[in-house]
Amino acid sequence: TGRTCCRAGEMRRILTTAAMLAALIACRPGASGAASQPGQEKEPANEAAQKVMDTISLIEEKLTETKYKHKIMVKLGKGIFHWDCSGMADWVLKRSAPKARKQLPGTRPLAKHFYRLIFKAPVEGEKKGWQRLDGVRDVRPGDLFSWLTPDYWKNNPNTGHVGFVVSTPQPHPLYENVWLMRVADASRYVHEDDSRIYGEGGGFGTGTMAFGCNDDGAPLAYGWFGSVQKPGAFLPVDMVFGRVTR
């Protein structure tokens, strides 16, 4: 459903190196600047995006236990959140953007369903609660990102990944067309400067990712480990940014 698409052995090797680098660098590009003007944080674009941010804050406030599981179990009062990325995104949208959630199929949408819905949404305005963003410069807190598992991982049972942006994108200080942003997602693995602890079962958390884009800002690849990952090690995928409305 929503596990990050990476071969386990390679992921562990890269993860160990990146985690050590992240600890040494202690880079926190999270809530820094607007994409076009570094240093200026933008507000969520609409009521639904603000509600997404409020719901994510609620999870962080209540959280006592989280694990990465495909069988969803949420006990809000006890602060227990067991889910994968698509289960987490589905739960958030039910509470923040019910109009948008109704367009997702069934009771258990997968990462590919989020991607396809955003991909088909209009760029100008919204349709049935969804809008596709033209590029990374349009992304604001409360928006979504989603990608499909690439064809070269045909044996991977997961369909891709989905999560929420929780900061204004900022340009990487070293690499052109690379953007850093804080994200909230559910995963087995940690990002740079992550709220999760590697090796403790994953689940819900926030961390910094990097996104490689073309000159127009359209996303082409992701760097799971944020600013400490060189663009040559980014993974090219079919990816979209989207926005929901209530």
Side-chain angles (χ1 to χ4, degrees):
T1 52
R3 279 177 287 182
T4 51
C5 46
C6 193
R7 287 167 287 191
E10 182 180 1
M11 173 63 82
R12 283 193 294 269
R13 178 178 58 79
I14 298 174
L15 177 61
T16 301
T17 301
M20 290 189 296
L21 286 171
L24 290 171
I25 296 174
C27 176
R28 292 179 177 269
S32 302
S36 57
Q37 299 181 28
Q40 293 184 0
E41 181 70 10
K42 293 184 178 180
E43 297 294 326
N46 57 31
E47 180 186 359
Q50 181 60 62
K51 187 65 175 178
V52 165
M53 295 294 289
D54 293 342
T55 304
I56 290 171
S57 294
L58 176 65
I59 297 170
E60 293 177 315
E61 176 187 339
K62 296 288 187 179
L63 184 66
T64 61
E65 176 184 312
T66 187
K67 292 182 180 179
Y68 181 81
K69 298 284 186 179
H70 294 305
K71 185 177 181 181
I72 311 303
M73 182 183 72
V74 176
K75 296 181 179 180
L76 182 61
K78 295 183 177 181
I80 298 174
F81 301 92
H82 294 184
W83 49 21
D84 57 17
C85 70
S86 54
M88 174 261 187
D90 182 46
W91 192 90
V92 171
L93 289 189
K94 285 178 179 177
R95 286 151 182 80
S96 57
K99 177 182 177 181
R101 170 59 186 89
K102 288 180 180 178
Q103 303 308 311
L104 289 162
T107 59
R108 186 63 175 88
L110 307 178
K112 66 180 180 181
H113 297 131
F114 287 88
Y115 172 88
R116 292 171 181 170
L117 193 55
I118 296 171
F119 182 79
K120 294 179 180 178
V123 174
E124 298 295 333
E126 60 88 23
K127 183 178 180 180
K128 296 182 179 180
W130 290 89
Q131 179 183 4
R132 178 166 53 89
L133 302 178
D134 197 31
V136 69
R137 293 173 181 83
D138 297 322
V139 174
R140 295 191 183 188
D143 292 335
L144 292 88
F145 66 91
S146 184
W147 66 71
L148 295 177
T149 298
D151 291 340
Y152 49 82
W153 282 330
K154 292 181 179 179
N155 295 327
N156 192 313
N158 307 296
T159 68
H161 192 56
V162 61
F164 297 95
V165 177
V166 295
S167 76
T168 303
Q170 76 169 22
H172 197 292
L174 300 179
Y175 304 115
E176 186 177 5
N177 290 335
V178 175
W179 300 83
L180 303 172
M181 61 192 82
R182 296 287 293 178
V183 303
D185 62 4
S187 174
R188 293 184 187 276
Y189 308 109
V190 299
H191 304 294
E192 179 185 15
D193 191 23
D194 206 289
S195 62
R196 290 160 289 213
I197 299 175
Y198 175 55
E200 293 195 358
F204 172 82
T206 58
T208 299
M209 287 189 64
F211 294 86
C213 303
N214 64 18
D215 290 340
D216 295 325
L220 303 174
Y222 69 86
W224 189 265
F225 306 114
S227 69
V228 300
Q229 188 171 351
K230 294 183 178 180
F234 287 9
L235 295 180
V237 289
D238 293 327
M239 190 189 324
V240 288
F241 290 111
R243 180 170 294 153
V244 292
T245 64
R246 293 176 66 81

PDB file of all heavy atoms in Angstrom, residues 216-232:
ATOM      1  N   ASP A 216      10.776  24.234 -14.405  1.00  0.00           N
ATOM      2  CA  ASP A 216       9.437  24.760 -14.147  1.00  0.00           C
ATOM      3  C   ASP A 216       8.914  24.406 -12.762  1.00  0.00           C
ATOM      4  O   ASP A 216       7.805  24.797 -12.389  1.00  0.00           O
ATOM      5  CB  ASP A 216       8.454  24.252 -15.206  1.00  0.00           C
ATOM      6  CG  ASP A 216       8.780  24.758 -16.594  1.00  0.00           C
ATOM      7  OD1 ASP A 216       9.247  25.906 -16.700  1.00  0.00           O
ATOM      8  OD2 ASP A 216       8.590  24.007 -17.567  1.00  0.00           O
ATOM      9  N   GLY A 217       9.684  23.629 -12.008  1.00  0.00           N
ATOM     10  CA  GLY A 217       9.279  23.262 -10.657  1.00  0.00           C
ATOM     11  C   GLY A 217       8.498  21.975 -10.557  1.00  0.00           C
ATOM     12  O   GLY A 217       8.046  21.605  -9.464  1.00  0.00           O
ATOM     13  N   ALA A 218       8.309  21.271 -11.678  1.00  0.00           N
ATOM     14  CA  ALA A 218       7.594  19.995 -11.634  1.00  0.00           C
ATOM     15  C   ALA A 218       8.479  18.931 -10.991  1.00  0.00           C
ATOM     16  O   ALA A 218       9.656  18.807 -11.340  1.00  0.00           O
ATOM     17  CB  ALA A 218       7.199  19.559 -13.036  1.00  0.00           C
ATOM     18  N   PRO A 219       7.962  18.152 -10.030  1.00  0.00           N
ATOM     19  CA  PRO A 219       8.787  17.172  -9.322  1.00  0.00           C
ATOM     20  C   PRO A 219       9.173  15.997 -10.211  1.00  0.00           C
ATOM     21  O   PRO A 219       8.346  15.456 -10.953  1.00  0.00           O
ATOM     22  CB  PRO A 219       7.900  16.719  -8.165  1.00  0.00           C
ATOM     23  CG  PRO A 219       6.498  16.927  -8.677  1.00  0.00           C
ATOM     24  CD  PRO A 219       6.559  18.148  -9.559  1.00  0.00           C
ATOM     25  N   LEU A 220      10.427  15.583 -10.108  1.00  0.00           N
ATOM     26  CA  LEU A 220      10.952  14.487 -10.912  1.00  0.00           C
ATOM     27  C   LEU A 220      11.510  13.341 -10.078  1.00  0.00           C
ATOM     28  O   LEU A 220      11.511  12.194 -10.508  1.00  0.00           O
ATOM     29  CB  LEU A 220      12.071  15.004 -11.832  1.00  0.00           C
ATOM     30  CG  LEU A 220      11.726  16.141 -12.785  1.00  0.00           C
ATOM     31  CD1 LEU A 220      12.988  16.605 -13.498  1.00  0.00           C
ATOM     32  CD2 LEU A 220      10.671  15.689 -13.786  1.00  0.00           C
ATOM     33  N   ALA A 221      12.010  13.656  -8.885  1.00  0.00           N
ATOM     34  CA  ALA A 221      12.673  12.650  -8.056  1.00  0.00           C
ATOM     35  C   ALA A 221      12.653  13.113  -6.607  1.00  0.00           C
ATOM     36  O   ALA A 221      12.469  14.296  -6.316  1.00  0.00           O
ATOM     37  CB  ALA A 221      14.112  12.431  -8.519  1.00  0.00           C
ATOM     38  N   TYR A 222      12.836  12.164  -5.690  1.00  0.00           N
ATOM     39  CA  TYR A 222      12.862  12.531  -4.272  1.00  0.00           C
ATOM     40  C   TYR A 222      14.151  12.074  -3.608  1.00  0.00           C
ATOM     41  O   TYR A 222      14.746  11.061  -3.976  1.00  0.00           O
ATOM     42  CB  TYR A 222      11.655  11.954  -3.529  1.00  0.00           C
ATOM     43  CG  TYR A 222      11.639  10.450  -3.372  1.00  0.00           C
ATOM     44  CD1 TYR A 222      12.302   9.822  -2.307  1.00  0.00           C
ATOM     45  CD2 TYR A 222      10.962   9.641  -4.275  1.00  0.00           C
ATOM     46  CE1 TYR A 222      12.286   8.451  -2.150  1.00  0.00           C
ATOM     47  CE2 TYR A 222      10.931   8.262  -4.123  1.00  0.00           C
ATOM     48  CZ  TYR A 222      11.594   7.669  -3.065  1.00  0.00           C
ATOM     49  OH  TYR A 222      11.582   6.307  -2.919  1.00  0.00           O
ATOM     50  N   GLY A 223      14.556  12.852  -2.623  1.00  0.00           N
ATOM     51  CA  GLY A 223      15.674  12.484  -1.759  1.00  0.00           C
ATOM     52  C   GLY A 223      15.124  12.226  -0.372  1.00  0.00           C
ATOM     53  O   GLY A 223      14.789  13.167   0.354  1.00  0.00           O
ATOM     54  N   TRP A 224      14.996  10.969  -0.022  1.00  0.00           N
ATOM     55  CA  TRP A 224      14.351  10.585   1.240  1.00  0.00           C
ATOM     56  C   TRP A 224      15.027  11.216   2.441  1.00  0.00           C
ATOM     57  O   TRP A 224      14.378  11.539   3.433  1.00  0.00           O
ATOM     58  CB  TRP A 224      14.357   9.063   1.361  1.00  0.00           C
ATOM     59  CG  TRP A 224      13.554   8.544   2.501  1.00  0.00           C
ATOM     60  CD1 TRP A 224      13.987   8.216   3.756  1.00  0.00           C
ATOM     61  CD2 TRP A 224      12.136   8.306   2.514  1.00  0.00           C
ATOM     62  NE1 TRP A 224      12.950   7.782   4.552  1.00  0.00           N
ATOM     63  CE2 TRP A 224      11.802   7.822   3.797  1.00  0.00           C
ATOM     64  CE3 TRP A 224      11.135   8.440   1.554  1.00  0.00           C
ATOM     65  CZ2 TRP A 224      10.497   7.486   4.152  1.00  0.00           C
ATOM     66  CZ3 TRP A 224       9.843   8.105   1.907  1.00  0.00           C
ATOM     67  CH2 TRP A 224       9.526   7.628   3.190  1.00  0.00           C
ATOM     68  N   PHE A 225      16.345  11.435   2.342  1.00  0.00           N
ATOM     69  CA  PHE A 225      17.116  11.882   3.497  1.00  0.00           C
ATOM     70  C   PHE A 225      17.432  13.370   3.485  1.00  0.00           C
ATOM     71  O   PHE A 225      18.352  13.831   4.141  1.00  0.00           O
ATOM     72  CB  PHE A 225      18.397  11.063   3.598  1.00  0.00           C
ATOM     73  CG  PHE A 225      18.147   9.588   3.609  1.00  0.00           C
ATOM     74  CD1 PHE A 225      18.581   8.793   2.562  1.00  0.00           C
ATOM     75  CD2 PHE A 225      17.441   9.000   4.635  1.00  0.00           C
ATOM     76  CE1 PHE A 225      18.328   7.430   2.566  1.00  0.00           C
ATOM     77  CE2 PHE A 225      17.183   7.643   4.648  1.00  0.00           C
ATOM     78  CZ  PHE A 225      17.630   6.851   3.603  1.00  0.00           C
ATOM     79  N   GLY A 226      16.662  14.132   2.731  1.00  0.00           N
ATOM     80  CA  GLY A 226      16.759  15.580   2.802  1.00  0.00           C
ATOM     81  C   GLY A 226      18.061  16.155   2.311  1.00  0.00           C
ATOM     82  O   GLY A 226      18.639  15.707   1.319  1.00  0.00           O
ATOM     83  N   SER A 227      18.565  17.153   3.023  1.00  0.00           N
ATOM     84  CA  SER A 227      19.712  17.917   2.552  1.00  0.00           C
ATOM     85  C   SER A 227      21.009  17.125   2.545  1.00  0.00           C
ATOM     86  O   SER A 227      21.973  17.515   1.883  1.00  0.00           O
ATOM     87  CB  SER A 227      19.891  19.177   3.401  1.00  0.00           C
ATOM     88  OG  SER A 227      20.298  18.846   4.716  1.00  0.00           O
ATOM     89  N   VAL A 228      21.072  16.012   3.277  1.00  0.00           N
ATOM     90  CA  VAL A 228      22.306  15.232   3.337  1.00  0.00           C
ATOM     91  C   VAL A 228      22.432  14.253   2.179  1.00  0.00           C
ATOM     92  O   VAL A 228      23.446  13.576   2.046  1.00  0.00           O
ATOM     93  CB  VAL A 228      22.412  14.466   4.674  1.00  0.00           C
ATOM     94  CG1 VAL A 228      22.419  15.426   5.843  1.00  0.00           C
ATOM     95  CG2 VAL A 228      21.292  13.443   4.820  1.00  0.00           C
ATOM     96  N   GLN A 229      21.406  14.159   1.340  1.00  0.00           N
ATOM     97  CA  GLN A 229      21.429  13.235   0.207  1.00  0.00           C
ATOM     98  C   GLN A 229      21.732  14.011  -1.069  1.00  0.00           C
ATOM     99  O   GLN A 229      21.053  14.986  -1.397  1.00  0.00           O
ATOM    100  CB  GLN A 229      20.088  12.514   0.086  1.00  0.00           C
ATOM    101  CG  GLN A 229      20.076  11.403  -0.951  1.00  0.00           C
ATOM    102  CD  GLN A 229      18.797  10.577  -0.882  1.00  0.00           C
ATOM    103  OE1 GLN A 229      18.000  10.737   0.039  1.00  0.00           O
ATOM    104  NE2 GLN A 229      18.611   9.709  -1.851  1.00  0.00           N
ATOM    105  N   LYS A 230      22.730  13.571  -1.810  1.00  0.00           N
ATOM    106  CA  LYS A 230      23.100  14.246  -3.045  1.00  0.00           C
ATOM    107  C   LYS A 230      22.076  13.939  -4.141  1.00  0.00           C
ATOM    108  O   LYS A 230      21.520  12.844  -4.196  1.00  0.00           O
ATOM    109  CB  LYS A 230      24.489  13.816  -3.491  1.00  0.00           C
ATOM    110  CG  LYS A 230      25.598  14.264  -2.548  1.00  0.00           C
ATOM    111  CD  LYS A 230      26.965  13.873  -3.065  1.00  0.00           C
ATOM    112  CE  LYS A 230      28.065  14.369  -2.140  1.00  0.00           C
ATOM    113  NZ  LYS A 230      29.411  13.984  -2.638  1.00  0.00           N
ATOM    114  N   PRO A 231      21.807  14.898  -5.029  1.00  0.00           N
ATOM    115  CA  PRO A 231      20.811  14.687  -6.081  1.00  0.00           C
ATOM    116  C   PRO A 231      21.069  13.464  -6.948  1.00  0.00           C
ATOM    117  O   PRO A 231      20.126  12.854  -7.454  1.00  0.00           O
ATOM    118  CB  PRO A 231      20.906  15.978  -6.901  1.00  0.00           C
ATOM    119  CG  PRO A 231      21.372  17.005  -5.929  1.00  0.00           C
ATOM    120  CD  PRO A 231      22.311  16.287  -5.010  1.00  0.00           C
ATOM    121  N   GLY A 232      22.331  13.076  -7.107  1.00  0.00           N
ATOM    122  CA  GLY A 232      22.641  11.890  -7.891  1.00  0.00           C
ATOM    123  C   GLY A 232      22.096  10.614  -7.289  1.00  0.00           C
ATOM    124  O   GLY A 232      21.975   9.597  -7.982  1.00  0.00           O
TER     125      GLY A 232
END
